[in-house]
Amino acid sequence: MREKILIGATDLFLNYGFKSVTMDDIANKLGISKKTIYQHFDNKTKLVQASTLQLFEFISEGINHICALEKNPIEEIYSIKQFIMEHLKNEKSSPQYQLQKYYPRIFKTLKEKQFCTMQDCVTNNLNRGIQLGLYRDTIHMDFISRIYFNAMIVIKDKDLFPEDKFSMPMLMNNYLEYHLRGICTPKGLEIVTNYINSNQS
């Protein structure tokens, strides 16, 4: 039952946001009583914490699986972006922004976990890109990996990028192009341009 509650709650949180979803909403969706939820989670904060941790682990496993395929590093970045967007529902409820605003302690813990995972992933991607001649060998990898991670956090700030002006797919696509054009060699830029042109809707 605990797993069923987590899955149902996570789906609601991603669709409607951490703030607006109530324990009543979760109980109604699952066809159970609030009492049943409270038998597994003391309060909503505990449920949000468990939900975000489970989602983080699921996303991390997916990213690790994509990295294990050892695709072209540029294609790998876009594959990870696609995977994350699909499983975070295109972030239409701004989950990260709401988490930061209403559950700052949970956000801080999650951000630290995300940083460790992304640091390894991005550094490996940069190394392979340099080895294949797709990224410039003069880039400062630690700097780039940290900028990459923090920019991914910043573009989800709805105060800075209001939803009526910036959709999440638009922000992600523009940021990835910005990132890649800053580190690619001419050979890499050709792949980026071809990828963008072939995936334009």
Side-chain angles (χ1 to χ4, degrees):
M1 179 54 72
R2 187 179 191 276
E3 188 68 16
K4 180 182 176 182
I5 294 169
L6 272 178
I7 292 171
T10 300
D11 186 61
L12 285 174
F13 290 147
L14 290 178
N15 279 298
Y16 303 106
F18 291 105
K19 172 68 172 174
S20 58
V21 174
T22 65
M23 296 297 250
D24 282 315
D25 293 329
I26 297 165
N28 290 336
K29 175 184 171 69
L30 297 174
I32 60 177
S33 67
K34 277 201 298 183
K35 183 180 177 182
T36 302
I37 298 176
Y38 286 122
Q39 286 173 350
H40 297 275
F41 302 96
D42 293 340
N43 50 51
K44 184 182 171 184
T45 300
K46 293 284 187 184
L47 180 52
V48 168
Q49 185 176 35
S51 173
T52 54
L53 181 59
Q54 184 186 60
L55 186 61
F56 164 75
E57 289 172 350
F58 173 79
I59 295 290
S60 295
E61 282 181 22
I63 291 174
N64 289 337
H65 175 71
I66 292 170
C67 292
L69 298 175
E70 294 195 341
K71 296 181 177 183
N72 168 311
I74 294 169
E75 184 184 348
E76 179 179 273
I77 283 180
Y78 281 106
S79 293
I80 290 172
K81 184 267 296 187
Q82 187 64 34
F83 172 79
I84 291 173
M85 294 294 283
E86 284 174 7
H87 291 282
L88 294 184
K89 317 277 188 186
N90 279 345
E91 306 204 51
K92 61 186 178 184
S93 70
S94 312
Q96 182 176 279
Y97 176 72
Q98 289 201 7
L99 196 67
Q100 184 174 8
K101 189 171 184 178
Y102 300 109
Y103 299 93
R105 288 184 180 179
I106 296 174
F107 173 79
K108 183 176 183 293
T109 300
L110 185 65
K111 183 180 176 183
E112 290 168 357
K113 289 178 177 292
Q114 288 174 333
F115 177 73
C116 292
T117 298
M118 287 300 295
Q119 185 80 341
D120 288 343
C121 176
V122 175
T123 300
N124 289 337
N125 182 279
L126 292 172
N127 271 317
R128 289 200 303 113
I130 291 171
Q131 290 167 7
L132 294 171
L134 302 179
Y135 302 156
R136 293 180 289 108
D137 60 8
T138 54
I139 61 175
H140 191 297
M141 280 194 290
D142 193 35
F143 171 78
I144 295 294
S145 64
R146 289 169 187 270
I147 284 290
Y148 181 84
F149 173 78
N150 282 286
M152 282 292 190
I153 298 287
V154 168
I155 64 172
K156 295 169 185 176
D157 184 330
K158 295 305 174 186
D159 292 330
L160 193 58
F161 296 103
E163 289 176 291
D164 59 337
K165 291 184 179 181
F166 304 93
S167 71
M168 188 49 63
M170 179 271 231
L171 286 169
M172 289 287 282
N173 287 331
N174 276 274
Y175 175 63
L176 289 185
E177 181 178 357
Y178 176 84
H179 166 71
L180 288 167
R181 289 193 183 281
I183 64 174
C184 279
T185 61
K187 179 182 175 182
L189 286 174
E190 187 176 344
I191 294 173
V192 172
T193 301
N194 289 338
Y195 183 91
I196 291 171
N197 290 339
S198 63
N199 285 276
Q200 282 179 338
S201 53

